[in-house]
Amino acid sequence: MGFDLPGKEWTTYIPIATTVALAIYVAWEAMRPKIGWVNPDIQKNEEKVVHTMDVEDIGEKLSICRCWRSKTFPLCDGIHKAHNKRTGDNVGPLRLKRRNVS
Ligand code: FES
């Protein structure tokens, strides 16, 4: 048992194998952000996503998104609950709270 195809049949299988390989590559590239990246789609045109806030502007409390799915990123909008339910993940926000100093 082996690959004993006549020369003309190889020319039939090469385009099929190329098409299958290309389809696998395209599917992999489409899935890669979802399976390998923490950030699926926030500011993907930037080399690095950085936000700066002044501590004085925080107010009494603030929730910072750590799931990277918030529509108000970097602030938490609660969408982590749907993400956790869908994926079985357990991410949640970083909650900042101003200490009452008298
Ligand atoms: S929306 Fe991302 S942690 Fe809440």
Side-chain angles (χ1 to χ4, degrees), residues 64-70 75-80 92-93:
I64 306 294
C65 176
R66 296 191 298 180
C67 75
W68 288 82
R69 269 102 183 138
S70 174
L75 303 179
C76 173
D77 68 357
I79 198 70
H80 61 267

Side-chain angles (χ1 to χ4, degrees), residues 9-102:
E9 289 191 32
W10 279 108
T11 60
T12 302
Y13 290 116
I14 288 173
I16 294 169
T18 303
T19 302
V20 169
L22 185 61
I24 290 170
Y25 174 76
V26 168
W28 176 258
E29 284 299 310
M31 287 177 50
R32 192 169 64 156
K34 296 180 179 81
I35 62 175
W37 293 352
V38 171
N39 176 8
D41 57 14
I42 295 172
Q43 294 177 253
K44 295 307 280 187
N45 58 335
E46 303 289 330
E47 183 178 342
K48 178 170 50 176
V49 179
V50 176
H51 295 96
T52 303
M53 292 180 182
D54 290 330
V55 172
E56 293 78 13
D57 295 338
I58 288 177
E60 290 301 313
K61 59 184 177 180
L62 188 66
S63 293
I64 306 294
C65 176
R66 296 191 298 180
C67 75
W68 288 82
R69 269 102 183 138
S70 174
K71 298 292 182 227
T72 59
F73 196 87
L75 303 179
C76 173
D77 68 357
I79 198 70
H80 61 267
K81 294 172 202 151
H83 165 77
N84 288 345
K85 189 172 184 179
R86 187 178 65 253
T87 64
D89 208 345
N90 66 346
V91 295
L94 165 65
R95 290 193 175 136
L96 300 177
K97 191 170 122 186
R98 185 174 298 278
R99 183 182 303 149
N100 290 332
V101 179
S102 336

